[in-house]
Amino acid sequence: MPSRPPLTHFLCIPLVTDSSRTHLQATLQQFTADITSPLNLHSTKTDNRPRSSSSSSGANAEASDAAHATTNATPFVPPSAIRPLTTLHLTLGVLSLPTPTLLTAATNLLSSVDLSKLLASSSPAPSQTTRISLSAATDPNVDANASTPSPAPPPLSLSLRSLNALPTAQSASILYAKPHDASSRLYPFCTALRSIFADAGFMVDEKRELLLHCTIVNMVYARDSGRKGRGGKLGRWGRKRKFDAREVVEKYEGFKWMPDCRVERVGICEMGAREVAGEVRYVEVAGREMP
């Protein structure tokens, strides 16, 4: 049986931009205060009026864990399981690029894609003048509408709403927010770009259906106050790192994590977030500005 290829990078849409950062930071702080306090969690459904918080996720997670460890109140989930602000993104697919040659080839492929054509072809019901094949998006010699140039597509924007659980709300290990796109172009655009990388042989598990989501909580990162990185003693959460999230999912139904903000980039990032210039983030090795 052939071995599974190494997972080294991922294709993604970064969500933290100049226009989204302030709101995402505020709502993530509100959520952190709610979900790490049993008293807050049992209150009524939350709204979008962020409360001030002295700690943000990521850099302060370990200190927050230690504070909870010294009290009798058990947090709903460990603060360290909440993903740092600067890691928030939408994953389009996981890549296997273990050599410099493959990384360069994937970088060149991203550079060659005509993102404007790809976005134009992602409209739900494109007109005859804007219907463009994937080959036209990757081959500059193919012009599907040479006689009738199509106008540039409007920028793509999205918001983040609600809270969902994987694998189930009753036994959750991941909580995520769903992206919403009023133009209905986000999912077709992402699947088309994903297909380009899959056809080139860079994508792993390319046959799995794409689930666009922004991970907010991932129990794989849960730890006690005495350990860094993944793992550690989990107390009542147990070795399976799962919890009953039905209450928090219900409370955050319809919650808006981020208003409509323009999608500014697509990128290839290294697997494994690490601290860079004082912020925990995924390192981008290649990127493109969106039209």
Side-chain angles (χ1 to χ4, degrees), residues 253-271:
E253 181 183 359
F255 183 78
K256 183 174 286 189
W257 298 86
M258 181 181 82
D260 281 330
C261 291
R262 178 177 171 266
V263 176
E264 296 187 5
R265 291 181 66 79
V266 293
I268 297 174
C269 292
E270 294 178 353
M271 295 287 271

Side-chain angles (χ1 to χ4, degrees), residues 17-218:
T17 65
D18 289 342
S19 60
S20 69
R21 177 183 283 267
T22 299
H23 201 94
L24 276 173
Q25 184 173 35
T27 52
L28 197 60
Q29 285 179 343
Q30 173 181 349
F31 175 75
T32 300
D34 277 349
I35 202 170
T36 58
S37 169
L39 295 178
N40 285 342
L41 184 63
H42 294 299
S43 62
T44 57
K45 181 177 291 188
T46 191
D47 57 25
N48 275 83
R49 291 173 293 177
R51 294 182 292 275
S52 63
S53 173
S54 60
S55 66
S56 60
S57 60
N60 296 322
E62 188 169 347
S64 184
D65 283 348
H68 280 289
T70 60
T71 68
N72 293 325
T74 302
F76 188 71
V77 299
S80 51
I82 300 174
R83 301 305 293 136
L85 169 70
T86 43
T87 66
L88 301 185
H89 66 277
L90 303 178
T91 298
L92 277 57
V94 179
L95 309 175
S96 181
L97 309 171
T99 68
T101 299
L102 287 173
L103 178 58
T104 298
T107 299
N108 291 340
L109 178 61
L110 181 60
S111 298
S112 71
V113 176
D114 190 324
L115 296 178
S116 292
K117 287 184 178 181
L118 203 63
L119 189 57
S121 67
S122 300
S123 298
S127 65
Q128 183 62 36
T129 59
T130 60
R131 188 174 294 115
I132 305 170
S133 66
L134 287 180
S135 61
T138 56
D139 186 352
N141 296 318
V142 176
D143 187 352
N145 294 290
S147 60
T148 310
S150 300
L156 184 63
S157 63
L158 63 87
S159 62
L160 292 175
R161 301 179 189 173
S162 297
L163 199 63
N164 301 269
L166 288 173
T168 67
Q170 188 171 357
S171 182
S173 58
I174 291 174
L175 298 179
Y176 67 92
K178 282 186 176 181
H180 286 256
D181 160 37
S183 70
S184 299
R185 295 176 296 160
L186 177 66
Y187 189 83
F189 172 81
C190 291
T191 54
L193 185 57
R194 170 188 169 100
S195 295
I196 291 171
F197 276 78
D199 292 344
F202 298 130
M203 194 75 64
V204 179
D205 292 334
E206 73 277 4
K207 294 182 180 180
R208 295 178 60 181
E209 184 177 357
L210 176 61
L211 174 64
L212 287 176
H213 66 286
C214 171
T215 299
I216 305 295
V217 171
N218 191 340

